[in-house]
Amino acid sequence: MKSSILPSKSFDKNYLLRLLNGNTEMMGAVLTQINQNIPSCMAEIEFGIQQSDYIRIVTYASRAKSAFSMLREKQTTQAFQHIILAATNKDFFTVKDLFVGLQNEIEDKFNKTNVAA
């Protein structure tokens, strides 16, 4: 079994389809890319926090924010925006605090277990 990040129950499928002009195949590709990239973004942000590297934090938090924005996950998108702002201000204490809360939210809201074929 492997853990993956999938849209939460509040995921607005119709919004993503509108963004992609109704292309369901493309929606599958987008969701696959998000599923593959969010864990690495989270790891890079965590590494950025450990290294006090605000550029790394802003870069990867921006990528994650964009992904969750396409899923219309407003709370998660806003949390990443707050991380970006705190990192830009080099407020690593706030970044770390926000990130820990966001990790827990993502685990609770998005992590699903899939059976690998």
Side-chain angles (χ1 to χ4, degrees):
M1 297 203 307
K2 70 176 187 172
S3 180
S4 62
I5 294 178
L6 299 173
S8 72
K9 291 178 183 173
S10 65
F11 163 58
D12 188 345
K13 178 181 173 182
N14 292 325
Y15 175 74
L16 184 56
L17 277 173
R18 281 193 309 274
L19 285 177
L20 300 170
N21 294 319
N23 188 331
T24 56
E25 187 176 322
M26 180 61 77
M27 185 174 77
V30 167
L31 291 173
T32 297
Q33 283 298 316
I34 290 171
N35 187 44
Q36 292 173 350
N37 290 316
I38 291 298
S40 64
C41 284
M42 297 298 285
E44 290 290 342
I45 295 167
E46 188 168 25
F47 184 72
I49 292 168
Q50 293 168 0
Q51 300 297 311
S52 297
D53 183 349
Y54 77 95
I55 292 173
R56 182 183 299 266
I57 296 166
V58 168
T59 298
Y60 288 96
S62 294
R63 290 179 186 180
K65 180 185 125 186
S66 294
F68 284 110
S69 177
M70 287 191 334
L71 298 176
R72 219 176 212 183
E73 294 287 350
K74 292 178 185 178
Q75 248 185 321
T76 307
T77 301
Q78 289 173 349
F80 278 112
Q81 180 62 33
H82 290 301
I83 288 172
I84 292 165
L85 293 173
T88 301
N89 293 322
K90 298 182 182 177
D91 181 357
F92 294 108
F93 178 78
T94 300
V95 169
K96 185 175 182 178
D97 190 46
L98 290 169
F99 184 70
V100 168
L102 187 57
Q103 278 181 311
N104 293 334
E105 178 185 330
I106 287 175
E107 286 175 12
D108 291 345
K109 194 173 181 183
F110 299 97
N111 281 350
K112 310 288 183 204
T113 303
N114 293 333
V115 177

